[in-house]
Amino acid sequence: IIKAYPGEEASVDSTIELEQNEGGSVQGLFVNGDKLVVFGSFYDIDYFREVGFTPRRGGLTFFTVYDISDRADPEAVKEYKFEGTYFQGRMYEDNVYFVVTAFPEGRTEMPTPIIIEDDQLRSMPVNDIYYFPVPYDDVQLATVHSVDLDDLESLSSKAVAVEWGNQLYMSEDNIYITTTEHINEWELRQQIIMEI
């Protein structure tokens, strides 16, 4: 955390050192008043053994909230780990909407996406997962986690089956996840030949 203004008084107020994990890295942050959210990829085999869970490929994404009211002494106040790879995030007012994606590979125990809250592991309820009644070519789950920075215990999560390779847009009221439909030229050519 750097005191940047006024320039002649610029100084480093504090540094947060994150635990290194195998293949993990910081991917972004949000600042809202006296709250700092740091997030990124997390993959640590020893940790997975400790909690008794191995995630699907892609590992987990960590989401840590810090109280930075004392800039010289930031304090971690809430930690989440979400199964999947960080896709995109948005902050609107005091809410962070955090999206991770994962391929729904088979797993007999805990088949739905996993959420680890302060080292307590739980599986998302099936009724929080949605899909469209259409044929999918390359399906993945996009899970949207909503965290109210004024009430860190109020996590809300929903997942939807989407095509791989999508984009995210957000308005004040909605999140839009889009995908590009690719046309199979060979199939189109075959269809035209058959019609001729």
Side-chain angles (χ1 to χ4, degrees), residues 18-25 40-62 79 81-84 116 119 121:
L18 302 175
E19 293 180 23
Q20 290 296 320
N21 57 75
E22 303 166 15
S25 63
S41 58
F42 181 88
Y43 196 90
D44 186 334
I45 293 172
D46 292 334
Y47 177 83
F48 299 148
R49 287 185 186 129
E50 186 180 313
V51 296
F53 162 74
T54 302
R56 296 175 173 98
R57 66 183 151 134
L60 300 173
T61 300
F62 74 88
E79 293 183 358
K81 290 180 183 71
F82 302 122
E83 185 175 21
I116 301 174
D119 291 329
L121 184 135

